[in-house]
Amino acid sequence: MNRRIAFRLMCAVGATLLWAAAAGQADAAAPPDGRRDSSASTDGTAGRYKTKTAGPDRPFRHRLGAAGEWLRILPTNVFIHGENARGRTLRRSHAARLEYAFGLDPHSSAGRAYGAPWTGLGIVHYGFEDRPELGQGWGAYLYQGAQLVAFTPRLSLDYGWRFGLTGGWHPYDAERNPYNRSHGSRLNAYLDAGLELRWAAAPRFDVILGATFAHFSNGGTTIPNAGLNTFGARLGLSYRFETRDFAPDAATALAGIPPFRRHWSYDLVAFGSWRQRGYVRNGQKYVLPSKYAVAGLSIAPMRNLGYRFRVGMALDAVYDASANRVRFYADREGILAVPDVPLRHQLALGLSGRAEYVMPWFILGAGIGYNVLSVGGDMRNFYQILALKIDLTHSVFLHVGYNLRNFHEPNYLMLGLGYRFHDLTPRLYRLFPSRKPKR
């Protein structure tokens, strides 16, 4: 998709939002059947039309948004820096996105405890100036954001993150695409984080201006995997399905946050993935021909400091079938042959410090550790972990993580399932609320 088509798409989406907002306002001002609410009221509201607002009977708010982004590609590898078919640094990129989100009532106990978060799904398109070599990124993602600072009732500073999968890339190929060292696969993971100013321009309209950073890579599943990073500005518009409530109503005005009892909980995670391995020998780079399994088990005692923060330590056991395969050689036909490696050379036990940011449905985690028990070689190293935990129940969660080696080398993905023991956090929201709230 070229810039002209992307611009037309953004205009069409913006026009759709304008139409939806106008229709919503018209519905609020004039119900289809022409009837008014005749219930009596002491505050002079008798005879007004009823409108949809978030409240006890509507625990969730809903919104639809669209945004455009003007981006700069960061020169983080030689392909981006000029070793490409064009022979010059790649700089420009742009993106268009559409997303739906639902949020907790900001005046409820859960909304106050977690900063009135929004959670949802989105689709995105990225365009790059070197489309023949890079391709174009089409993707779908999970989204979550919340308010950091409220400057006025209408203006706030929010944060947001997005995590998903993108396709449409043109991967490295020794004959057809020999310069592209950024990506070795057609599918790549997508991670986006940013800050944005959100201005309530109308009861159902928000205008958004922000800064965003995005990263694309395949998590080490295929080589090359230098990745691609962008940074830039975002301008967007969102439409709320319910009338905005700038002040709490009578039912929620006294909603407080239950006191939090600090306690220990214990996360048990089992994960697995696959990876490709490369080595450098005598200045020459080699990529092993096979893909190798990775599996691990982690137990993490975590101190719950409040509704949003946990810290602790973790014991990490890992099996990496690609580790210490340094005695490879080329046969008579020039094909790499890789002898088997004893199992003990592919096992390690590590100890890591962990910190987690807790929100409804999602937990963002980071850790840094060292493999204290191993035979050495590839397995004796510092490692870093970035992880997303997705709640399936109050105790069971999906685990999507990424392991780095020595702060800069991509290591492997951590895709698994976890269980949390002894979690005493008060339940302020339902994971899957019923259609008819209890009265």
Side-chain angles (χ1 to χ4, degrees):
M1 181 186 347
N2 58 32
R3 294 184 180 181
R4 181 176 299 178
I5 297 176
F7 177 76
R8 290 176 179 175
L9 176 62
M10 289 299 303
C11 289
V13 171
T16 302
L17 287 175
L18 287 171
W19 174 83
Q25 296 289 1
D27 289 343
D33 58 6
R35 291 181 295 178
R36 294 173 179 263
D37 177 20
S38 58
S39 59
S41 172
T42 58
D43 60 358
T45 59
R48 293 183 181 178
Y49 299 119
K50 289 185 176 181
T51 59
K52 297 179 180 180
T53 59
D57 293 338
R58 291 182 174 270
F60 290 98
R61 304 162 295 155
H62 305 268
R63 73 184 185 197
L64 183 67
E69 298 172 4
W70 295 263
L71 306 166
R72 178 74 68 173
I73 303 175
L74 301 180
T76 52
N77 59 68
V78 294
F79 171 73
I80 301 298
H81 209 274
E83 291 187 16
N84 51 60
R86 294 189 171 198
R88 61 182 177 85
T89 301
L90 305 180
R91 303 181 185 277
R92 295 187 299 274
S93 176
H94 59 274
R97 67 178 68 250
L98 179 67
E99 59 190 25
Y100 158 79
F102 63 92
L104 297 171
D105 186 339
H107 306 305
S108 66
S109 297
R112 294 182 180 185
Y114 293 103
W118 290 86
T119 304
L121 303 168
I123 55 174
V124 66
H125 168 262
Y126 277 84
F128 305 98
E129 61 175 302
D130 190 2
R131 178 176 174 179
E133 291 183 284
L134 275 175
Q136 54 184 340
W138 287 95
Y141 57 84
L142 298 172
Y143 160 77
Q144 189 169 69
Q147 186 181 101
L148 289 174
V149 181
F151 300 110
T152 72
R154 292 180 176 270
L155 181 64
S156 66
L157 176 66
D158 296 7
Y159 77 88
W161 60 263
R162 296 161 178 86
F163 178 78
L165 193 65
T166 56
W169 302 92
H170 295 171
Y172 167 84
D173 183 275
E175 297 181 358
R176 293 176 294 180
N177 198 8
Y179 293 108
N180 185 3
R181 299 286 176 173
S182 287
H183 298 109
S185 57
R186 295 187 180 276
L187 293 177
N188 288 283
Y190 162 62
L191 176 64
D192 174 284
L195 297 173
E196 56 190 33
L197 287 171
R198 182 174 290 271
W199 175 52
R204 297 194 182 189
F205 269 123
D206 287 347
V207 177
I208 304 139
L209 177 63
T212 177
F213 169 83
H215 171 74
F216 305 89
S217 74
N218 62 44
T221 56
T222 305
I223 292 177
N225 182 42
L228 187 144
N229 302 290
T230 65
F231 177 81
R234 175 183 295 142
L235 179 63
L237 180 71
S238 70
Y239 169 71
R240 296 175 182 249
F241 288 71
E242 295 84 16
T243 303
R244 189 187 313 272
D245 187 11
F246 288 107
D249 56 27
T252 58
L254 299 179
I257 303 175
F260 188 92
R261 176 187 171 189
R262 293 189 175 186
H263 63 279
W264 287 93
S265 60
Y266 307 89
D267 284 10
L268 178 65
V269 175
F271 66 87
S273 67
W274 68 97
R275 65 172 302 180
Q276 196 168 21
R277 195 68 178 247
Y279 287 96
V280 177
R281 178 185 292 176
N282 299 324
Q284 181 69 31
K285 296 180 179 179
Y286 296 89
V287 177
L288 302 189
S290 300
K291 293 188 178 181
Y292 299 93
V294 178
L297 187 68
S298 174
I299 177 68
M302 303 294 293
R303 183 64 173 173
N304 293 255
L305 302 178
Y307 283 102
R308 300 196 206 182
F309 296 101
R310 295 175 181 155
V311 295
M313 301 288 292
L315 191 63
D316 307 309
V318 65
Y319 162 73
D320 184 353
S322 72
N324 291 317
R325 293 183 178 269
V326 295
R327 296 183 178 179
F328 59 86
Y329 59 92
D331 60 19
R332 294 180 179 179
E333 298 179 357
I335 300 175
L336 290 182
V338 186
D340 291 334
V341 176
L343 179 62
R344 67 178 184 276
H345 290 259
Q346 300 171 330
L347 297 174
L349 188 65
L351 189 65
S352 62
R354 300 293 184 94
E356 293 183 344
Y357 184 66
V358 183
M359 294 296 283
W361 298 283
F362 299 107
I363 297 175
L364 300 176
I368 179 172
Y370 185 76
N371 285 328
V372 294
L373 293 178
S374 70
V375 298
D378 293 339
M379 303 300 283
R380 183 62 62 89
N381 57 265
F382 283 99
Y383 60 91
Q384 298 74 47
I385 295 173
L386 296 175
L388 171 66
K389 298 176 180 178
I390 306 171
D391 289 338
L392 299 179
T393 71
H394 287 301
S395 298
V396 180
F397 56 87
L398 290 176
H399 181 279
V400 181
Y402 190 40
N403 187 291
L404 294 172
R405 180 184 176 195
N406 296 329
F407 298 96
H408 69 283
E409 298 179 21
N411 218 3
Y412 50 79
L413 291 173
M414 305 168 66
L415 309 176
L417 194 66
Y419 189 89
R420 184 171 302 111
F421 298 89
H422 195 251
D423 185 7
L424 304 180
T425 302
R427 308 302 184 197
L428 303 183
Y429 62 95
R430 293 174 179 266
L431 286 177
F432 305 101
S434 59
R435 292 181 177 271
K436 295 182 180 180
K438 296 181 180 180
R439 296 182 180 273

